[in-house]
Amino acid sequence: MAEPTKKKNKGRHAPSLALVGDNPQPNIKKPNEPDARTEHKVLTFWTQHPTEPRLVDLNEFATGRKREELPAKSRKRWAGDYSGRPELIAQLQPFIEQEWMFYGRLTVRQALSSLRAWWRVLDEAERVPGEASKLQVSRLNGVEQLHELYYAVSRRLDIDIKQHTQFMRLVNLRRQHVGLPTLYWPSPGDDRKDTDAPTHREMEAIRHKLKHGWFAVLDRWEHADRNPADLSSWKKYTNSAQWKEHAHSIYRAVIELVNDPLPTMAQIAGAIGYQKKVHWMWPLGPLQAGLYPTGEDVRYAFHIALLYSGWNVQTLLDLDVTGRFVEEHPTNPEYHLVYGFKNRGDSEHFCLGRTKRTDSIGTILKTIVERTKPLRREVRKELICVRKSLRKDKQNTELIDRKVELTLTLKSPWLFADPMGRGVRRLTNSTVNTEFQTTFLRRIIIELNKSQPEDRKVRESITPSEFRDAYIGFAYEFSNYSILAAKVAATHRQATTTQRYLRHKAWRAHSASKVRNLSTEMWTEIQIYRQVDPAILRAKMDFGSVSDIERERLKVYRQGRTRIGV
């Protein structure tokens, strides 16, 4: 059956982002005495997530939705049409507001997708008996009409455990409210496969690859910065191939002239007085990349910071450059501290970095923030314009959404210039590891494995979220399996939380592997040497093998020791 959420206070702290006016978001109504006559009126509400509030529109569940109503780019992924059920969504709406109150944008999208899946289940359950026989199932208009047929159809349509749990919680809250018994429908099995935690060798190989990628970014900027802004240097030459060599200088001069960090081709042509198209300045992507980070550059920087910090992906994405950000170490000037805030746990995290290293987390963040200053100024200008427009039209949802996005962009350090003309963008949870037809990290690993022998290849299935597992596992293993050291590395408040974390499926697999290796090495020692030496066994577990020279050296060392061990 569906279980209630374990973290009762998940994200429920004071929101830090206001939307419009003095009362930007409607107060969430408590489902005390819902009236059927009033439940149909309001099917939209704002979530109160502290950084990513989202307008939730439930009207599609009252009216239904068809594929032809969708934008063209969304039709390929459409899972199927469904009919409207205004009475049912009106019953669930107060409880949806209560449960989704602090959902962020991505979580809202997932929750809406779950509701759509169940609306399709309801339609399918009412259609199947009519096709198989003359029996008709009456149309479901309320939770009191749910029966086992709907559950059977949900299993046939492969409703997963998350979709099942979310929907059944809403249904049971409504049923409990009106005095009906709770539905105890068993949850589907969790089909996710156990995976091994990334090993220290794998993470070290990934770290080197990411580091070299970041160094290439720094070298590119250093090379481009050698070109001073000069609007007329290209006129000294008659060959367009020679003009292209001065493209960086021209681009920087145009930026200063038009006061726009991302000038268009038309602006460039107008600035240099060239009547024809300046085709030798195209494409603008390499010119922008000489000044600002690209999406790939920011992903290199983000993954290095994720690897060094040991934070969750969302915590690193939520870094706020307008608040407590990168500070000098209070006692050692060679180091710095980076502060982040975990909204889900309502807690502040920090990590340590070495200032003189160009690939330390604080140095990376400062470099990106410095490079994106002009982009940030443009975001701030647009935000001011949007706020002025909102004073005239406070209920314009498009302006409200745009204001939220611009506010988050202004706070984020992970900005980059979009070469496709979409202006200034930021990394989000849905784009941090996404590339065309693949993922950023998988592409990096594939490139890495090309130069690796077969037994040293890195698994392509490793994801950014597993960096934290590897970070905590490294602290746990190399501290001789100290729970306290792992707790400090994980920034957990309680050691019991760390213990539960280490019982994660990945570490269960890791522990089983260690036990198998211990058993294998012990019996190998018995079979070959007719004895088990604890020192040699420990060395083989830690380093993989012990040579005959090392065994002889250990034997000589022991023969020369006195009774007190010297």
Side-chain angles (χ1 to χ4, degrees), residues 138-156:
S138 59
R139 185 169 179 78
L140 185 143
N141 294 315
V143 297
E144 64 277 358
Q145 298 172 316
L146 282 169
H147 49 72
E148 294 295 330
L149 175 62
Y150 295 103
Y151 174 65
V153 172
S154 74
R155 296 301 299 269
R156 184 167 66 84

Side-chain angles (χ1 to χ4, degrees), residues 545-561:
S545 63
V546 177
S547 66
D548 291 339
I549 297 176
E550 290 170 331
R551 290 176 183 272
E552 189 63 28
R553 189 185 303 137
L554 176 63
K555 182 179 178 181
V556 171
Y557 168 75
R558 285 175 171 171
Q559 290 176 347
R561 283 192 308 174

Side-chain angles (χ1 to χ4, degrees), residues 278-295:
V278 283
H279 57 84
W280 44 274
M281 290 285 289
W282 183 262
L284 293 179
L287 304 181
Q288 293 175 354
L291 279 170
Y292 317 117
T294 64

Side-chain angles (χ1 to χ4, degrees), residues 365-382:
L365 288 168
K366 284 183 176 180
T367 302
I368 290 182
V369 170
E370 183 64 28
R371 279 279 169 179
T372 55
K373 269 185 179 180
L375 305 181
R376 211 173 296 276
R377 281 197 296 268
E378 286 302 301
V379 174
R380 190 176 289 108
K381 288 179 184 178
E382 186 181 353

Side-chain angles (χ1 to χ4, degrees), residues 61-62 110 242 326 368 518 551 561:
F61 301 102
Q110 293 170 344
Q242 293 173 312
V326 182
I368 290 182
L518 175 64
R551 290 176 183 272
R561 283 192 308 174

